[in-house]
Amino acid sequence: AQRVTQPEKLLSVFKGAPVELKCNYSYSGSPELFWYVQYSRQRLQLLLRHISRESIKGFTADLNKGETSFHLKKPFAQEEDSAMYYCALPWMGGSYIPTFGRGTSLIVHP
Amino acid sequence: NAGVTQTPKFRVLKTGQSMTLLCAQDMNHEYMYWYRQDPGMGLRLIHYSVGEGTTAKGEVPDGYNVSRLKKQNFLLGLESAAPSQTSVYFCASRALAESSYNEQFFGPGTRLTVL
């Protein structure tokens, strides 16, 4: 069965420090993976998707099929990055049900 | 283009009361979903729909019912509210096409407290 694991519930860093939010997945095929972000008391919104190979707000994520990981990274954290981050498998062949990790709360201290 | 909207934004219920949460989307999306969000539990899927007139159970369906009579609306009902249903409820929608670019679009959430 497909699964997404985010091992850290909370990640606390200081402004300017590097950030890495971990995401591991379990899926037998070739996965598509997304990162969603939820700022305080707001709706979830897409941050980035691996197939686009994009960098959004300084964040990047590389799919590592060997380690089955899709970690989210940013070299220099900003206070406005404080939010809840969810890793997700958005679409599986034959399945309409996205799979979300449990989320990691990132707090960036000034 | 409002995207995904949810009504109401906040609600307080007493145990045993009933209510309906409304989700509406104006993007002509086929798929719609209801999630609940609880601290430490992330997003859990309650029910979902792959088109008008169809619904299916998700991970935590007990105590909830849904209806999708119109493509743009997805209703979540609580027949007899319990304190364990205190949560933030999010609705989401997604386009039909099997494309890896297809993200979910989320509503702003409904904060429900059951006393």
Side-chain angles (χ1 to χ4, degrees):
Chain A
Q2 62 202 49
R3 181 181 295 176
V4 175
T5 303
Q6 293 180 251
E8 303 144 328
K9 286 187 178 180
L10 174 66
L11 187 60
S12 181
V13 302
F14 286 99
K15 177 182 175 181
V19 170
E20 181 179 68
L21 290 86
K22 292 183 168 52
C23 172
N24 290 93
Y25 66 90
S26 174
Y27 177 60
S28 57
S30 182
E32 302 295 344
L33 284 150
F34 288 6
W35 275 100
Y36 285 85
V37 61
Q38 183 184 25
Y39 300 102
S40 180
R41 292 182 176 257
Q42 295 186 24
R43 70 184 74 197
L44 277 81
Q45 56 187 291
L46 181 69
L47 179 62
L48 57 82
R49 46 197 144 205
H50 101 271
I51 196 169
S52 299
R53 296 187 173 277
E54 53 201 349
S55 173
I56 303 294
K57 298 184 179 182
F59 284 97
T60 60
D62 292 320
L63 179 64
N64 186 322
K65 293 186 179 180
E67 296 182 358
T68 60
S69 69
F70 188 56
H71 302 329
L72 184 67
K73 300 178 183 179
K74 185 170 183 177
F76 307 103
Q78 303 299 316
E79 290 178 67
E80 55 265 30
D81 296 329
S82 295
M84 193 74 170
Y85 292 82
Y86 290 96
C87 183
L89 281 161
W91 168 259
M92 294 292 112
S95 169
Y96 306 109
I97 306 176
T99 302
F100 284 85
R102 291 197 169 186
T104 297
S105 177
L106 174 65
I107 299 175
V108 182
H109 300 282
Chain B
N1 191 337
V4 180
T5 59
Q6 292 182 231
T7 308
K9 292 184 179 179
F10 304 93
R11 186 73 185 269
V12 178
L13 290 179
K14 294 181 179 179
T15 298
Q17 287 185 318
S18 64
M19 78 163 294
T20 300
L21 283 69
L22 170 64
C23 176
Q25 52 94 4
D26 60 4
M27 296 173 283
N28 201 36
H29 285 170
E30 291 292 337
Y31 305 156
M32 295 187 76
Y33 312 81
W34 274 108
Y35 293 91
R36 58 178 291 171
Q37 183 183 46
D38 303 289
M41 301 299 291
L43 286 174
R44 292 184 290 171
L45 183 66
I46 304 171
H47 286 279
Y48 66 99
S49 169
V50 301
E52 182 178 317
T54 70
T55 63
K57 294 180 180 180
E59 180 185 356
V60 288
D62 294 342
Y64 305 95
N65 56 76
V66 289
S67 65
R68 182 107 182 261
L69 299 180
K70 293 183 179 181
K71 186 177 182 179
Q72 64 268 32
N73 295 337
F74 195 29
L75 305 179
L76 178 70
L78 286 73
E79 291 186 349
S80 180
S84 61
Q85 294 178 304
T86 294
S87 187
V88 181
Y89 292 85
F90 287 97
C91 176
S93 71
R94 183 185 184 277
L96 172 64
E98 290 190 29
S99 166
S100 55
Y101 281 87
N102 281 357
E103 68 197 82
Q104 284 178 300
F105 291 84
F106 284 83
T110 295
R111 191 170 295 271
L112 175 66
T113 301
V114 183
L115 302 175

